[in-house]
């Protein structure tokens, strides 16, 4: 059964021309080459009110759209800037909304691959932020890929198209994304097998 995996990319910066946003776009384009259905949520797409447990009735259409995309995702790639050695508050708040996904088949991000990319000015901030992303992925019942990517200094540079300038960075991202695509393809097949005939997955 050939089913295209659905992969969601979250960028945690509000800057219109941020490195995290451009890297997320580049990663999505790379995965699309392998017939994955991709969707990128940039920082401005994630500018939600502070998450409040039990406030689902107050969610606007943007949040419902985001949650539906996350619910249907076979994998998620988190791209965060390092703010004082930690994940950006914008991204963490968006991730907190995943707490609303309580379906019995796949609560939270159960069983799905989670790619993690941290972007910082220094190596220490990149490393600590990457560790936090991976911890969050586990807490959501997901599977952070074996390779996580921490980018700093020259390794974080991208060109006008969003492609990483450093060959080492491109290679690391490609390995991580390959792991995301492989796992998400299996997840997509399981999702299709659970979908009743005549309905859209």
């Amino acid at each position: 059964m050939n089913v295209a995996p659905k992969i969601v990319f979250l960028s945690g910066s509000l800057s219109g021309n941020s490195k995290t946003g451009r890297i997320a776009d580049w990663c999505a384009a790379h995965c699309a080459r392998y017939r994955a259905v991709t969707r990128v949520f940039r920082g401005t797409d994630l500018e939600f009110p502070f998450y409040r447990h039990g406030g689902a009735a107050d969610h606007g259409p943007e949040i419902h759209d985001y949650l539906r995309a996350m619910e249907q995702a076979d994998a998620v790639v988190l791209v965060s800037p390092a703010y004082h050695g930690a994940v950006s508050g914008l991204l963490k708040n968006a991730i907190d909304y995943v707490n609303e996904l309580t379906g019995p088949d796949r609560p939270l991000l159960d069983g799905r691959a989670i790619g993690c990319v941290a972007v910082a000015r220094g190596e220490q901030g990149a490393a600590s932020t990457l560790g936090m992303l991976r911890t969050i992925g586990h807490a959501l019942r997901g599977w952070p890929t074996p390779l996580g990517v921490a980018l700093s200094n020259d390794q974080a540079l991208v060109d006008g198209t969003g492609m990483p300038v450093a060959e080492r960075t491109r290679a690391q991202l490609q390995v991580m994304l390959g792991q995301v695509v492989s796992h998400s393809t299996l997840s997509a097949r399981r999702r299709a097998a659970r979908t009743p005939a005549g309905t859209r997955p």
Side-chain angles (χ1 to χ4, degrees), residues 78-120:
L78 307 174
V79 187
S80 179
Y83 290 165
H84 305 110
V87 174
S88 71
L90 176 79
L91 182 60
K92 180 59 169 63
N93 186 55
I95 292 172
D96 287 344
Y97 273 89
V98 176
N99 195 54
E100 299 293 320
L101 303 181
T102 58
D105 292 333
R106 297 201 301 175
L108 304 177
L109 296 180
D110 185 68
R112 280 161 277 189
I114 300 181
C116 301
V117 184
V119 183

Side-chain angles (χ1 to χ4, degrees), residues 136-153:
I136 291 170
H138 283 299
L140 292 171
R141 305 186 191 181
W143 295 92
T145 55
L147 179 64
V149 182
L151 303 176
S152 61
N153 301 317

